[in-house]
Amino acid sequence: MGIIYFLLLSCLGLAIAAPRRNCGSAGEVENGHIDYSEGTEFGDKIVITCNPGYQFIGKQGPRGMVCGDQGWMGKLPSCKAVTCDPPPMIVDGTFSPIKETYSYGDIVQYSCQSGLTLNGSKSVSCSDDGTFQPAPPTCIMVQCKDPDVKNGEWVQGSRPPFGYKATVTFKCRSGFIMNGESTQTCEINSEWSPGLPTCETVTCEPPPMIVDGTFSPIKDTYTYGDAVLYSCQNGLTLNGSKSVSCSDDGTFQPAPPTCIMVQCAHPGIENADWVQGSRPPFGHRATATFKCRSGFIMKGESTQICEMDSQWSPGLPICE
Ligand SMILES: *[C@@H]1O[C@H](CO)[C@@H](O)[C@H](O)[C@H]1NC(C)=O
């Protein structure tokens, strides 16, 4: 209270009577820096910091001094080169180089006993505050469980035991589809990453409907191996595969058939008689057998079949 009263009085007095006292330069701080941004008059404060790689003796952090009646109050601190004590030893590991003290910027490298994995930063360095940074690593045993992917199988990669960074690639048995990533890596926490996939039964959406035809059975979804049979409306012929089935890739294979009208023209052969076969209309697989009249000889096949392209096959004969 007394001091504040005194300060108040002297401030008032100075303000009226004379310019404020100016403390001027505080001196030199070797390997450090003085911030005068507040000014150097009575009541102003300077802040002293050490250059990188240097630190105050004793208490750390920036220090301040105030301009008082009698000049700068206190004693300028000094900055000395940073040194670090050795970093901590770790269980099941060591570091190098090993020295009694280290200077600013020195780096030590940690390593683990064989079979163990370093978790954290391998190298640490002697930093500003006189300690090694970052925190030392630990040595841990990394071992991932045998990966069990139901309905899946090992394709390539490591064999047990699965240590740090071991990788395994899986595929699903046929009829199953993979949900997740096929390649997995054993991570530092002894877990597979990004996480074991699953193999799920393949399902198919219904196959496409066709013009003038249908298929059966009709369901909402089908599972791997299910087959459907296509059929055409009366009088039409199925062109393509009658049966398609739900395949590995979740679609029906092969492509669905089409329904077409097959009708061969009435076969008229000069100087020949119809002997036997189908009656008109001549649809798919209708047959007709001919014989030349006497005095004529046949060139070509006597029996013809009506094919998908509505043409007689192998081609109508002639009687010469
Ligand atoms: C590795 O170190 C980090 C940080 O210290 C720690 O959080 C983590 O649990 C450690 N991992 C294992 C698998 O020990």
Side-chain angles (χ1 to χ4, degrees):
M1 190 63 202
I3 290 174
I4 292 171
Y5 192 57
F6 167 73
L7 284 176
L8 195 66
L9 276 183
S10 41
C11 275
L12 284 173
L14 285 166
I16 299 160
R20 287 164 70 200
R21 176 179 164 77
N22 193 320
C23 289
S25 165
E28 283 292 306
V29 178
E30 214 179 320
N31 300 309
H33 168 81
I34 303 176
D35 176 4
Y36 287 104
S37 58
E38 250 185 43
T40 57
E41 293 181 340
F42 183 81
D44 291 342
K45 190 180 165 203
I46 55 174
V47 176
I48 304 111
T49 47
C50 290
N51 293 340
Y54 294 85
Q55 61 184 348
F56 296 119
I57 299 162
K59 188 168 75 75
Q60 296 307 310
R63 304 205 181 163
M65 279 168 69
V66 176
C67 176
D69 250 3
Q70 317 277 308
W72 294 106
M73 298 194 289
K75 187 170 164 281
L76 265 187
S78 48
C79 295
K80 66 164 179 96
V82 166
T83 58
C84 289
D85 285 336
M89 271 293 171
I90 57 170
V91 179
D92 297 331
T94 183
F95 61 80
S96 83
I98 295 184
K99 300 201 283 185
E100 270 188 14
T101 53
Y102 299 80
S103 29
Y104 177 70
D106 281 356
I107 289 176
V108 310
Q109 306 253 24
Y110 280 92
S111 57
C112 292
Q113 283 169 16
S114 95
L116 299 181
T117 302
L118 204 86
N119 177 29
S121 180
K122 185 178 172 62
S123 48
V124 298
S125 66
C126 176
S127 71
D128 264 347
D129 68 352
T131 66
F132 276 91
Q133 295 294 342
T138 53
C139 290
I140 56 174
M141 171 66 122
V142 174
Q143 189 166 347
C144 286
K145 286 207 195 81
D146 284 6
D148 179 24
V149 178
K150 225 175 163 201
N151 296 310
E153 53 201 39
W154 184 97
V155 182
Q156 61 175 38
S158 318
R159 296 290 191 181
F162 300 103
Y164 184 52
K165 290 292 171 201
T167 64
V168 175
T169 302
F170 302 91
K171 77 172 208 255
C172 291
R173 298 216 312 264
S174 71
F176 294 88
I177 195 159
M178 189 167 288
N179 188 358
E181 290 294 324
S182 59
T183 298
Q184 300 287 320
T185 306
C186 180
E187 288 299 351
I188 194 104
N189 58 0
S190 293
E191 299 284 349
W192 291 104
S193 171
L196 294 180
T198 55
C199 290
E200 281 150 27
T201 310
V202 167
T203 59
C204 289
E205 300 275 294
M209 270 295 170
I210 57 170
V211 179
D212 300 329
T214 184
F215 62 80
S216 85
I218 294 183
K219 301 200 284 184
D220 282 341
T221 54
Y222 300 79
T223 54
Y224 176 72
D226 282 355
V228 304
L229 295 177
Y230 279 92
S231 57
C232 291
Q233 282 168 19
N234 256 346
L236 297 181
T237 303
L238 203 81
N239 181 21
S241 179
K242 185 176 175 63
S243 162
V244 302
S245 53
C246 176
S247 71
D248 256 350
D249 69 354
T251 66
F252 275 89
Q253 296 296 340
T258 53
C259 290
I260 58 173
M261 170 69 106
V262 175
Q263 193 164 349
C264 285
H266 202 286
I269 302 172
E270 257 182 86
N271 303 310
D273 293 316
W274 182 92
V275 183
Q276 63 175 33
S278 318
R279 295 292 183 177
F282 302 105
H284 186 225
R285 301 237 156 251
T287 62
T289 302
F290 304 90
K291 187 181 101 190
C292 291
R293 297 198 183 124
S294 66
F296 293 89
I297 189 159
M298 183 169 290
K299 216 178 155 194
E301 289 294 324
S302 60
T303 298
Q304 299 288 318
I305 300 178
C306 179
E307 288 295 358
M308 287 302 274
D309 58 1
S310 296
Q311 299 294 319
W312 291 104
S313 170
L316 295 179
I318 50 177
C319 291
E320 294 178 326

